[in-house]
Structure formats: structure tokens, C-alpha cells
Amino acid sequence: MSFAGKVVLITGASSGIGAETAIHFAQLGASLSITGRNKQNLEKVAEQCGKSKPFIVTGDLANENDVKNIIDSTIKHYGKLDVLVNNAGIVRFGNIEIPLEHYDNIMNVNVRSVFQLTALAVPYLIKTKGNIVNVSSVAGLRPLKNSLPYCMSKAALDQFTRCVALELASRQVRVNSVNPGAVQTNIIENIGLSQEQIKIHYEKLKGMHALGRIGDSLEIAKTIAFLASDDASFMTGVTLLVDGGIVSIYKVNLVMLFYDVSLSLMIETSRYCTSLLQTRYCILRSRLFEFYRFENIIQYRCKYHTLLNTSSLKNIIYFVRVNAVNPGLIETNIFRNSGMNQEQLKNFFKKLQKIHALGRNGDTSEVAKVIIFLASDDASFITGVTLPVDGGAHALSPVSIQSD
């Protein structure tokens, strides 16, 4: 993977994930423009980037003029832009009773500035057929207590990612996001917690991840670089979880709750039934559960408990990552062996191009590169992920496809 000759703009690069991402891109040969509010910290990051020192632009993303200056200065210095990394963000704990000025501050930095900066960058990214990587959070996909404005801002960023991906796909500009789990950075230290509180906070977060640990900034940086690279050329509109399996555990808890409720209902219902083991019960009319034999439910539930209790989870899952790739239409022999002649195959492949936002079918090498990434140490904090490699097909609504 190389970014030689590529210009990469990274916001919030003075510390944490942004700083690590800048250093990593520099190692991959990129020409960098880094921005943040703290010039001294930006200069320290620039020193760690090696021989080709980044171009530094200081500014406050909550200030419209500063946002415009970031783009204008970068283009003036380099003449082009290939990758935009919208990394800058702030955290503030609070519920529905939070003061409106705190809400406005979070939304201005985490959402509004991203909208403005992206809008200003788009004309230049279209010229280079570049791409955008937004840094979101698991909070965009799962609600967290006492984090209402932050969760809202990240959910908005995820939807922004998908919508802009669809808008720019026809111009071959890809847009994706990374959704990190807990990563130890200055973002928590900057909200006023004491060192002891921070230590307790991170210790609690460890147990929430299937991998039993919190993430490292470099792990997020490597995923950002992958999404920005040609190795992810058939991926757009993706919100990629880099969360050590925290969302997977969340789903497991919901499934177990469902089983607990369902089993209680079944046991109560069984009092009025004869030949219990021969009776089929309607648990919930859904895709997941329709009709099951009672004895099969009990057997499966016991196995499920054995697998997912705390000790088994540690013994079985720790340090073993499990992920999947979900390709769109890839032109392979699986279709050529279907009995269609060459003309039928040609029409078939052409017709299905429109199901992908990028307007084309995929290539086997594009899927292979994603598989290699997921299997590598670069994806060391990714587990339980089903990753679309489908040219944005997952983000397209049926209405969008039919109207084309």
C-alpha cells in the first residue's frame, strides 16, 4: 500500500487518532496537510512524520472562515487533494437536560464542520477521483447512556457518509467511515475527568469488548489508510466497525434477552398443551423465529449459554478474530458455469451494474484485497464485522435502483 504522490488532508491531527493517522500516512509516502487548533502539538506530530514534513494549517472547525482557509491553503500549497480524513470531533457527556450551547458546540464540530469542509473539498476530489474517510464511533450505531448529543452527532455523520457516498459514486469518489470502539486518546482527558476517573472509565470499557481490551490509535489509523487506498476500490458508503467486537456483544445480549423472554412464554403456554415435545409453538412471527420444536429450543439455548457465558467467551473468542466480506456482483466463473451463453452473460452483467452505486461490477482482486486486510494485523481491532464490498449496493434503496 502506497500513497506516494497523493495529497491527504487530516483534521484533528494534533493528537490521538488524527496524529497517529498522520504519522501512518507519512510512512506510506503521502503528502500531508494537517490541521488542528494547537500549533505546537501539530508541529510535534509533523516532526514524527519524518523527512517529508506535513503542511500545517491551524484553525477552529467551529469557525466557517477557518474551515474555508483549511481547504484554500491546502490547495494553494499542493495544487490538488486526493484524500480527506474528517477526523476532528469532541465529546461531552450529557442527557436531554444538557444546555443548548453544549449541544450546539458538539453538532457544530462533529457534523456541521464536516458538512462544510466536505462540500468545499468535493470539486477537488472529483478531479482526482479521490475519496473521503470520516471518523465516526460505535455511538453512531448504538445508544449510550449520558451521551445523547454525542450519539446524535455520530449517527448524523454515519448517515452523511452513506448519502454523500451515493451522491458522489457516479463521479468515482468513494466515501466511507470508521466507527471505533473505545480508544485511549486525549478526547476523554479533555472533558475534565481526573486521572483516577479516566483509569476507572477505561477499565470498565475493557469488559465491553469481545477482545477484552480497548483499542489503539494505530489500529484505527491503519483502517483509515486501508479505506483511503486502492485496496478498498469497491467499497463506498460503508461504516466500518473497528470496535474489538463491542457491537457484537451488544447483539448477543439482545438475542439472549429474546430467548429468556421467549422461553418463559413457552413454559407458561405449555401448561395448557398436551404432548409438549410434539407441539410446535409460534414464538414470534418473524424472519428469525417462526416455528420451533420446544425441545430444540431448549437444546439450542443450553448450547448458546455454554458458548456465551463469560468464561467460555474468554476461552473461545479472545485473540481469535472472526469477520466476513459481503461482495456485490463479482464477475466470476460461478456465473459463467450457469448455462448462459456469452451474449446472455454480457447482458446479465451489464444489467446488474446499476445495483452498485459506483455503476460497475466488482473484480475478484478487489474482494481478495479486503480479505487480506481483514486477515492481517492491520485489522487487529476488528471482529464480528460483515463488511460490504459491493460498490455501495448496500446503501442504495430499492427505489433508487428501480428509478435508474
mmCIF file of all heavy atoms in Angstrom, residues 90-100 102-108 110-111 136-157 191:
data_model
loop_
_atom_site.group_PDB
_atom_site.id
_atom_site.type_symbol
_atom_site.label_atom_id
_atom_site.label_comp_id
_atom_site.label_asym_id
_atom_site.label_seq_id
_atom_site.Cartn_x
_atom_site.Cartn_y
_atom_site.Cartn_z
ATOM 1 N N ILE A 90 -15.440 16.181 19.077
ATOM 2 C CA ILE A 90 -15.396 16.430 20.516
ATOM 3 C C ILE A 90 -16.440 15.582 21.225
ATOM 4 O O ILE A 90 -17.428 15.152 20.631
ATOM 5 C CB ILE A 90 -15.631 17.919 20.848
ATOM 6 C CG1 ILE A 90 -16.985 18.392 20.310
ATOM 7 C CG2 ILE A 90 -14.506 18.776 20.303
ATOM 8 C CD1 ILE A 90 -17.349 19.809 20.740
ATOM 9 N N VAL A 91 -16.193 15.321 22.518
ATOM 10 C CA VAL A 91 -17.106 14.546 23.352
ATOM 11 C C VAL A 91 -17.552 15.405 24.524
ATOM 12 O O VAL A 91 -16.753 16.138 25.108
ATOM 13 C CB VAL A 91 -16.414 13.272 23.895
ATOM 14 C CG1 VAL A 91 -17.319 12.567 24.901
ATOM 15 C CG2 VAL A 91 -16.061 12.326 22.765
ATOM 16 N N ARG A 92 -18.802 15.311 24.846
ATOM 17 C CA ARG A 92 -19.302 15.922 26.071
ATOM 18 C C ARG A 92 -20.436 15.041 26.586
ATOM 19 O O ARG A 92 -21.391 14.763 25.860
ATOM 20 C CB ARG A 92 -19.805 17.347 25.838
ATOM 21 C CG ARG A 92 -20.223 18.048 27.138
ATOM 22 C CD ARG A 92 -20.782 19.431 26.844
ATOM 23 N NE ARG A 92 -19.736 20.369 26.439
ATOM 24 C CZ ARG A 92 -19.014 21.085 27.285
ATOM 25 N NH1 ARG A 92 -19.184 20.971 28.594
ATOM 26 N NH2 ARG A 92 -18.104 21.925 26.845
ATOM 27 N N PHE A 93 -20.301 14.573 27.818
ATOM 28 C CA PHE A 93 -21.353 13.742 28.397
ATOM 29 C C PHE A 93 -22.565 14.607 28.732
ATOM 30 O O PHE A 93 -22.422 15.765 29.129
ATOM 31 C CB PHE A 93 -20.860 13.032 29.663
ATOM 32 C CG PHE A 93 -19.765 12.035 29.395
ATOM 33 C CD1 PHE A 93 -18.578 12.077 30.117
ATOM 34 C CD2 PHE A 93 -19.913 11.065 28.426
ATOM 35 C CE1 PHE A 93 -17.562 11.168 29.876
ATOM 36 C CE2 PHE A 93 -18.911 10.151 28.167
ATOM 37 C CZ PHE A 93 -17.724 10.203 28.899
ATOM 38 N N GLY A 94 -23.757 14.042 28.562
ATOM 39 C CA GLY A 94 -24.964 14.794 28.891
ATOM 40 C C GLY A 94 -26.212 14.112 28.374
ATOM 41 O O GLY A 94 -26.152 13.285 27.450
ATOM 42 N N ASN A 95 -27.354 14.460 28.967
ATOM 43 C CA ASN A 95 -28.640 13.894 28.567
ATOM 44 C C ASN A 95 -29.513 14.982 27.963
ATOM 45 O O ASN A 95 -29.028 16.021 27.540
ATOM 46 C CB ASN A 95 -29.318 13.233 29.773
ATOM 47 C CG ASN A 95 -29.423 14.185 30.961
ATOM 48 O OD1 ASN A 95 -29.487 15.398 30.792
ATOM 49 N ND2 ASN A 95 -29.431 13.627 32.173
ATOM 50 N N ILE A 96 -30.820 14.754 27.933
ATOM 51 C CA ILE A 96 -31.732 15.699 27.309
ATOM 52 C C ILE A 96 -31.740 17.050 28.024
ATOM 53 O O ILE A 96 -32.196 18.056 27.470
ATOM 54 C CB ILE A 96 -33.159 15.106 27.260
ATOM 55 C CG1 ILE A 96 -34.086 15.946 26.357
ATOM 56 C CG2 ILE A 96 -33.755 14.971 28.666
ATOM 57 C CD1 ILE A 96 -33.682 15.986 24.946
ATOM 58 N N GLU A 97 -31.219 17.106 29.247
ATOM 59 C CA GLU A 97 -31.207 18.353 30.011
ATOM 60 C C GLU A 97 -29.929 19.163 29.806
ATOM 61 O O GLU A 97 -29.709 20.174 30.478
ATOM 62 C CB GLU A 97 -31.392 18.044 31.503
ATOM 63 C CG GLU A 97 -32.742 17.394 31.814
ATOM 64 C CD GLU A 97 -32.860 16.965 33.267
ATOM 65 O OE1 GLU A 97 -31.869 16.404 33.785
ATOM 66 O OE2 GLU A 97 -33.925 17.182 33.862
ATOM 67 N N ILE A 98 -29.088 18.730 28.891
ATOM 68 C CA ILE A 98 -27.841 19.452 28.628
ATOM 69 C C ILE A 98 -28.156 20.844 28.081
ATOM 70 O O ILE A 98 -29.118 21.023 27.326
ATOM 71 C CB ILE A 98 -26.965 18.655 27.614
ATOM 72 C CG1 ILE A 98 -25.546 19.236 27.543
ATOM 73 C CG2 ILE A 98 -27.592 18.649 26.239
ATOM 74 C CD1 ILE A 98 -24.600 18.405 26.695
ATOM 75 N N PRO A 99 -27.381 21.866 28.459
ATOM 76 C CA PRO A 99 -27.612 23.213 27.925
ATOM 77 C C PRO A 99 -27.492 23.237 26.404
ATOM 78 O O PRO A 99 -26.651 22.523 25.822
ATOM 79 C CB PRO A 99 -26.502 24.047 28.571
ATOM 80 C CG PRO A 99 -26.145 23.310 29.817
ATOM 81 C CD PRO A 99 -26.316 21.859 29.481
ATOM 82 N N LEU A 100 -28.313 24.027 25.758
ATOM 83 C CA LEU A 100 -28.327 24.073 24.295
ATOM 84 C C LEU A 100 -26.982 24.477 23.710
ATOM 85 O O LEU A 100 -26.606 24.025 22.630
ATOM 86 C CB LEU A 100 -29.406 25.038 23.816
ATOM 87 C CG LEU A 100 -30.798 24.447 23.598
ATOM 88 C CD1 LEU A 100 -31.770 25.522 23.165
ATOM 89 C CD2 LEU A 100 -30.760 23.315 22.582
ATOM 90 N N HIS A 102 -24.083 23.619 24.738
ATOM 91 C CA HIS A 102 -23.243 22.429 24.680
ATOM 92 C C HIS A 102 -23.640 21.547 23.489
ATOM 93 O O HIS A 102 -22.785 21.010 22.781
ATOM 94 C CB HIS A 102 -23.357 21.622 25.979
ATOM 95 C CG HIS A 102 -22.787 22.322 27.167
ATOM 96 N ND1 HIS A 102 -22.947 21.872 28.456
ATOM 97 C CD2 HIS A 102 -22.039 23.459 27.262
ATOM 98 C CE1 HIS A 102 -22.340 22.694 29.295
ATOM 99 N NE2 HIS A 102 -21.780 23.660 28.595
ATOM 100 N N TYR A 103 -24.934 21.416 23.285
ATOM 101 C CA TYR A 103 -25.440 20.659 22.134
ATOM 102 C C TYR A 103 -24.951 21.293 20.825
ATOM 103 O O TYR A 103 -24.458 20.607 19.923
ATOM 104 C CB TYR A 103 -26.968 20.622 22.175
ATOM 105 C CG TYR A 103 -27.607 20.112 20.905
ATOM 106 C CD1 TYR A 103 -27.785 18.749 20.691
ATOM 107 C CD2 TYR A 103 -28.033 21.009 19.907
ATOM 108 C CE1 TYR A 103 -28.364 18.286 19.519
ATOM 109 C CE2 TYR A 103 -28.609 20.553 18.737
ATOM 110 C CZ TYR A 103 -28.778 19.194 18.553
ATOM 111 O OH TYR A 103 -29.342 18.740 17.387
ATOM 112 N N ASP A 104 -25.097 22.611 20.728
ATOM 113 C CA ASP A 104 -24.675 23.320 19.517
ATOM 114 C C ASP A 104 -23.187 23.143 19.259
ATOM 115 O O ASP A 104 -22.757 22.966 18.104
ATOM 116 C CB ASP A 104 -24.993 24.814 19.645
ATOM 117 C CG ASP A 104 -26.488 25.108 19.538
ATOM 118 O OD1 ASP A 104 -27.214 24.254 18.998
ATOM 119 O OD2 ASP A 104 -26.909 26.184 20.010
ATOM 120 N N ASN A 105 -22.390 23.172 20.305
ATOM 121 C CA ASN A 105 -20.946 23.029 20.154
ATOM 122 C C ASN A 105 -20.587 21.665 19.573
ATOM 123 O O ASN A 105 -19.766 21.554 18.650
ATOM 124 C CB ASN A 105 -20.264 23.227 21.510
ATOM 125 C CG ASN A 105 -18.760 23.364 21.385
ATOM 126 O OD1 ASN A 105 -18.247 23.776 20.341
ATOM 127 N ND2 ASN A 105 -18.048 23.019 22.438
ATOM 128 N N ILE A 106 -21.211 20.618 20.116
ATOM 129 C CA ILE A 106 -20.944 19.259 19.625
ATOM 130 C C ILE A 106 -21.380 19.108 18.172
ATOM 131 O O ILE A 106 -20.639 18.587 17.327
ATOM 132 C CB ILE A 106 -21.660 18.218 20.514
ATOM 133 C CG1 ILE A 106 -20.995 18.151 21.883
ATOM 134 C CG2 ILE A 106 -21.640 16.836 19.852
ATOM 135 C CD1 ILE A 106 -21.721 17.283 22.882
ATOM 136 N N MET A 107 -22.575 19.572 17.856
ATOM 137 C CA MET A 107 -23.094 19.417 16.489
ATOM 138 C C MET A 107 -22.309 20.279 15.495
ATOM 139 O O MET A 107 -22.096 19.873 14.349
ATOM 140 C CB MET A 107 -24.571 19.784 16.452
ATOM 141 C CG MET A 107 -25.463 18.872 17.290
ATOM 142 S SD MET A 107 -25.367 17.105 16.838
ATOM 143 C CE MET A 107 -26.330 17.088 15.329
ATOM 144 N N ASN A 108 -21.857 21.429 15.932
ATOM 145 C CA ASN A 108 -21.076 22.298 15.043
ATOM 146 C C ASN A 108 -19.752 21.660 14.648
ATOM 147 O O ASN A 108 -19.341 21.714 13.483
ATOM 148 C CB ASN A 108 -20.818 23.649 15.711
ATOM 149 C CG ASN A 108 -22.029 24.558 15.655
ATOM 150 O OD1 ASN A 108 -22.916 24.366 14.834
ATOM 151 N ND2 ASN A 108 -22.070 25.542 16.537
ATOM 152 N N ASN A 110 -18.786 18.238 15.219
ATOM 153 C CA ASN A 110 -18.883 16.854 14.769
ATOM 154 C C ASN A 110 -19.673 16.667 13.483
ATOM 155 O O ASN A 110 -19.508 15.659 12.798
ATOM 156 C CB ASN A 110 -19.516 15.994 15.863
ATOM 157 C CG ASN A 110 -18.628 15.854 17.085
ATOM 158 O OD1 ASN A 110 -17.559 16.463 17.158
ATOM 159 N ND2 ASN A 110 -19.056 15.078 18.058
ATOM 160 N N VAL A 111 -20.555 17.624 13.155
ATOM 161 C CA VAL A 111 -21.399 17.452 11.974
ATOM 162 C C VAL A 111 -21.286 18.640 11.004
ATOM 163 O O VAL A 111 -20.931 18.465 9.839
ATOM 164 C CB VAL A 111 -22.882 17.261 12.375
ATOM 165 C CG1 VAL A 111 -23.734 17.012 11.121
ATOM 166 C CG2 VAL A 111 -23.036 16.104 13.344
ATOM 167 N N SER A 136 -16.125 8.215 12.702
ATOM 168 C CA SER A 136 -17.359 8.230 13.477
ATOM 169 C C SER A 136 -17.122 7.509 14.802
ATOM 170 O O SER A 136 -16.078 7.671 15.425
ATOM 171 C CB SER A 136 -18.490 7.588 12.670
ATOM 172 O OG SER A 136 -19.712 7.660 13.357
ATOM 173 N N SER A 137 -18.058 6.679 15.220
ATOM 174 C CA SER A 137 -17.953 5.986 16.509
ATOM 175 C C SER A 137 -19.013 4.901 16.580
ATOM 176 O O SER A 137 -20.021 4.941 15.859
ATOM 177 C CB SER A 137 -18.154 6.989 17.647
ATOM 178 O OG SER A 137 -18.376 6.330 18.887
ATOM 179 N N VAL A 138 -18.802 3.930 17.475
ATOM 180 C CA VAL A 138 -19.865 2.955 17.747
ATOM 181 C C VAL A 138 -21.098 3.668 18.282
ATOM 182 O O VAL A 138 -22.220 3.165 18.180
ATOM 183 C CB VAL A 138 -19.420 1.867 18.752
ATOM 184 C CG1 VAL A 138 -18.335 0.991 18.172
ATOM 185 C CG2 VAL A 138 -18.968 2.493 20.073
ATOM 186 N N ALA A 139 -20.901 4.863 18.838
ATOM 187 C CA ALA A 139 -22.018 5.645 19.372
ATOM 188 C C ALA A 139 -22.980 6.083 18.272
ATOM 189 O O ALA A 139 -24.119 6.456 18.557
ATOM 190 C CB ALA A 139 -21.497 6.875 20.113
ATOM 191 N N GLY A 140 -22.530 6.026 17.023
ATOM 192 C CA GLY A 140 -23.417 6.338 15.912
ATOM 193 C C GLY A 140 -24.355 5.200 15.583
ATOM 194 O O GLY A 140 -25.373 5.391 14.914
ATOM 195 N N LEU A 141 -24.011 3.999 16.049
ATOM 196 C CA LEU A 141 -24.790 2.806 15.735
ATOM 197 C C LEU A 141 -25.527 2.234 16.929
ATOM 198 O O LEU A 141 -26.506 1.508 16.776
ATOM 199 C CB LEU A 141 -23.857 1.724 15.157
ATOM 200 C CG LEU A 141 -23.067 2.127 13.905
ATOM 201 C CD1 LEU A 141 -22.023 1.072 13.577
ATOM 202 C CD2 LEU A 141 -24.008 2.321 12.722
ATOM 203 N N ARG A 142 -25.042 2.555 18.146
ATOM 204 C CA ARG A 142 -25.659 2.028 19.363
ATOM 205 C C ARG A 142 -25.807 3.161 20.381
ATOM 206 O O ARG A 142 -24.869 3.923 20.594
ATOM 207 C CB ARG A 142 -24.794 0.913 19.971
ATOM 208 C CG ARG A 142 -24.703 -0.339 19.115
ATOM 209 C CD ARG A 142 -26.045 -1.066 19.053
ATOM 210 N NE ARG A 142 -25.972 -2.253 18.211
ATOM 211 C CZ ARG A 142 -26.267 -2.275 16.917
ATOM 212 N NH1 ARG A 142 -26.626 -1.161 16.318
ATOM 213 N NH2 ARG A 142 -26.195 -3.390 16.226
ATOM 214 N N PRO A 143 -26.965 3.270 21.019
ATOM 215 C CA PRO A 143 -27.154 4.341 22.010
ATOM 216 C C PRO A 143 -26.313 4.110 23.257
ATOM 217 O O PRO A 143 -26.129 2.976 23.691
ATOM 218 C CB PRO A 143 -28.650 4.254 22.338
ATOM 219 C CG PRO A 143 -29.019 2.838 22.046
ATOM 220 C CD PRO A 143 -28.167 2.422 20.886
ATOM 221 N N LEU A 144 -25.794 5.191 23.815
ATOM 222 C CA LEU A 144 -25.022 5.138 25.048
ATOM 223 C C LEU A 144 -25.682 6.049 26.077
ATOM 224 O O LEU A 144 -26.143 7.147 25.736
ATOM 225 C CB LEU A 144 -23.576 5.599 24.808
ATOM 226 C CG LEU A 144 -22.768 4.845 23.753
ATOM 227 C CD1 LEU A 144 -21.410 5.506 23.589
ATOM 228 C CD2 LEU A 144 -22.612 3.377 24.125
ATOM 229 N N LYS A 145 -25.704 5.615 27.313
ATOM 230 C CA LYS A 145 -26.285 6.437 28.362
ATOM 231 C C LYS A 145 -25.449 7.694 28.591
ATOM 232 O O LYS A 145 -24.231 7.663 28.506
ATOM 233 C CB LYS A 145 -26.368 5.643 29.673
ATOM 234 C CG LYS A 145 -27.486 4.615 29.706
ATOM 235 C CD LYS A 145 -27.571 3.968 31.081
ATOM 236 C CE LYS A 145 -28.730 2.984 31.139
ATOM 237 N NZ LYS A 145 -28.835 2.348 32.487
ATOM 238 N N ASN A 146 -26.137 8.781 28.893
ATOM 239 C CA ASN A 146 -25.500 10.047 29.239
ATOM 240 C C ASN A 146 -24.585 10.578 28.129
ATOM 241 O O ASN A 146 -23.614 11.270 28.388
ATOM 242 C CB ASN A 146 -24.708 9.912 30.548
ATOM 243 C CG ASN A 146 -24.450 11.256 31.213
ATOM 244 O OD1 ASN A 146 -25.297 12.139 31.171
ATOM 245 N ND2 ASN A 146 -23.289 11.417 31.814
ATOM 246 N N SER A 147 -24.915 10.233 26.881
ATOM 247 C CA SER A 147 -24.106 10.708 25.744
ATOM 248 C C SER A 147 -25.007 11.123 24.590
ATOM 249 O O SER A 147 -24.657 10.941 23.425
ATOM 250 C CB SER A 147 -23.143 9.604 25.282
ATOM 251 O OG SER A 147 -22.273 9.209 26.309
ATOM 252 N N LEU A 148 -26.159 11.676 24.905
ATOM 253 C CA LEU A 148 -27.164 11.964 23.890
ATOM 254 C C LEU A 148 -26.659 12.818 22.733
ATOM 255 O O LEU A 148 -26.753 12.406 21.571
ATOM 256 C CB LEU A 148 -28.393 12.609 24.548
ATOM 257 C CG LEU A 148 -29.512 13.082 23.604
ATOM 258 C CD1 LEU A 148 -30.047 11.923 22.786
ATOM 259 C CD2 LEU A 148 -30.621 13.742 24.398
ATOM 260 N N PRO A 149 -26.109 14.009 22.972
ATOM 261 C CA PRO A 149 -25.675 14.838 21.836
ATOM 262 C C PRO A 149 -24.553 14.178 21.022
ATOM 263 O O PRO A 149 -24.536 14.290 19.791
ATOM 264 C CB PRO A 149 -25.196 16.135 22.500
ATOM 265 C CG PRO A 149 -25.816 16.139 23.852
ATOM 266 C CD PRO A 149 -25.896 14.712 24.252
ATOM 267 N N TYR A 150 -23.639 13.511 21.711
ATOM 268 C CA TYR A 150 -22.530 12.853 21.007
ATOM 269 C C TYR A 150 -23.058 11.731 20.112
ATOM 270 O O TYR A 150 -22.666 11.630 18.937
ATOM 271 C CB TYR A 150 -21.525 12.309 22.013
ATOM 272 C CG TYR A 150 -20.332 11.620 21.377
ATOM 273 C CD1 TYR A 150 -19.359 12.362 20.717
ATOM 274 C CD2 TYR A 150 -20.183 10.241 21.441
ATOM 275 C CE1 TYR A 150 -18.262 11.741 20.124
ATOM 276 C CE2 TYR A 150 -19.100 9.602 20.849
ATOM 277 C CZ TYR A 150 -18.136 10.365 20.188
ATOM 278 O OH TYR A 150 -17.064 9.742 19.605
ATOM 279 N N CYS A 151 -23.958 10.893 20.646
ATOM 280 C CA CYS A 151 -24.542 9.805 19.855
ATOM 281 C C CYS A 151 -25.294 10.359 18.649
ATOM 282 O O CYS A 151 -25.200 9.822 17.538
ATOM 283 C CB CYS A 151 -25.481 8.961 20.711
ATOM 284 S SG CYS A 151 -24.655 7.941 21.949
ATOM 285 N N MET A 152 -26.045 11.426 18.868
ATOM 286 C CA MET A 152 -26.770 12.052 17.760
ATOM 287 C C MET A 152 -25.815 12.536 16.674
ATOM 288 O O MET A 152 -26.066 12.352 15.475
ATOM 289 C CB MET A 152 -27.592 13.230 18.285
ATOM 290 C CG MET A 152 -28.811 12.858 19.108
ATOM 291 S SD MET A 152 -29.648 14.318 19.762
ATOM 292 C CE MET A 152 -30.209 15.095 18.240
ATOM 293 N N SER A 153 -24.728 13.143 17.090
ATOM 294 C CA SER A 153 -23.782 13.697 16.114
ATOM 295 C C SER A 153 -23.129 12.593 15.284
ATOM 296 O O SER A 153 -22.934 12.756 14.072
ATOM 297 C CB SER A 153 -22.711 14.530 16.823
ATOM 298 O OG SER A 153 -21.805 13.724 17.560
ATOM 299 N N LYS A 154 -22.821 11.477 15.912
ATOM 300 C CA LYS A 154 -22.171 10.390 15.183
ATOM 301 C C LYS A 154 -23.158 9.622 14.310
ATOM 302 O O LYS A 154 -22.798 9.126 13.231
ATOM 303 C CB LYS A 154 -21.457 9.454 16.162
ATOM 304 C CG LYS A 154 -20.253 10.097 16.861
ATOM 305 C CD LYS A 154 -19.245 10.638 15.853
ATOM 306 C CE LYS A 154 -18.011 11.236 16.525
ATOM 307 N NZ LYS A 154 -17.031 11.759 15.538
ATOM 308 N N ALA A 155 -24.405 9.516 14.754
ATOM 309 C CA ALA A 155 -25.432 8.911 13.905
ATOM 310 C C ALA A 155 -25.653 9.768 12.659
ATOM 311 O O ALA A 155 -25.817 9.248 11.542
ATOM 312 C CB ALA A 155 -26.739 8.757 14.690
ATOM 313 N N ALA A 156 -25.643 11.087 12.849
ATOM 314 C CA ALA A 156 -25.774 12.002 11.714
ATOM 315 C C ALA A 156 -24.590 11.853 10.759
ATOM 316 O O ALA A 156 -24.762 11.870 9.529
ATOM 317 C CB ALA A 156 -25.861 13.444 12.214
ATOM 318 N N LEU A 157 -23.402 11.675 11.311
ATOM 319 C CA LEU A 157 -22.201 11.513 10.485
ATOM 320 C C LEU A 157 -22.267 10.225 9.672
ATOM 321 O O LEU A 157 -21.866 10.198 8.499
ATOM 322 C CB LEU A 157 -20.950 11.528 11.371
ATOM 323 C CG LEU A 157 -19.604 11.449 10.654
ATOM 324 C CD1 LEU A 157 -19.438 12.608 9.674
ATOM 325 C CD2 LEU A 157 -18.460 11.445 11.663
ATOM 326 N N ILE A 191 -12.287 16.400 28.718
ATOM 327 C CA ILE A 191 -13.638 16.734 29.176
ATOM 328 C C ILE A 191 -13.687 16.969 30.681
ATOM 329 O O ILE A 191 -14.764 17.123 31.252
ATOM 330 C CB ILE A 191 -14.657 15.638 28.780
ATOM 331 C CG1 ILE A 191 -14.310 14.302 29.450
ATOM 332 C CG2 ILE A 191 -14.731 15.497 27.286
ATOM 333 C CD1 ILE A 191 -15.357 13.233 29.188
#
